[in-house]
Amino acid sequence: MLQTYSSKLLNVTDLLDNVTECYRLSRRCYRMLQTYSRMLQNVTDLLDDVTDLLEQVTECYRLTRRCYRLTRASYRMLQTYSTMLQYVTDLLKDVTECYRLTR
């Protein structure tokens, strides 16, 4: 009978050891989950920053395209003004020549 109690006591001791080990592992798992949670928050913050950056790059691209279109329009206007100036210059030469001939 003593041997039976001893065996049962040994089983209870083993069970308590297992429960203690389970508790220890649970605490370790909880700490790891906290760490992963912080890491996930950091990744989320990083993704938010990347999203903001992409929005800024998109806006910069849009403005660059607009600037390019305006530059092209300005260039075409300058070409037109240059042609007009050449016509005016030629006209002034003709008027000057005409004036000189009529004097």
Side-chain angles (χ1 to χ4, degrees), residues 20-79:
T20 302
E21 179 68 10
C22 183
Y23 176 74
R24 189 185 68 76
L25 291 174
S26 294
R27 286 178 46 102
R28 183 176 172 199
C29 183
Y30 177 74
R31 286 191 304 272
M32 286 174 60
L33 285 173
Q34 284 179 318
T35 301
Y36 291 148
S37 175
R38 285 191 301 273
M39 288 170 60
L40 186 58
Q41 184 60 50
N42 289 341
V43 168
T44 301
D45 293 345
L46 180 61
L47 286 174
D48 288 343
D49 291 346
V50 167
T51 300
D52 292 343
L53 180 61
L54 284 174
E55 288 172 356
Q56 292 173 5
V57 166
T58 301
E59 179 66 10
C60 183
Y61 175 72
R62 188 185 68 75
L63 292 173
T64 300
R65 284 188 52 181
R66 183 167 183 237
C67 183
Y68 174 72
R69 285 192 306 272
L70 291 172
T71 301
R72 278 186 25 211
S74 297
Y75 177 73
R76 285 191 303 270
M77 285 174 49
L78 285 173
Q79 284 180 317

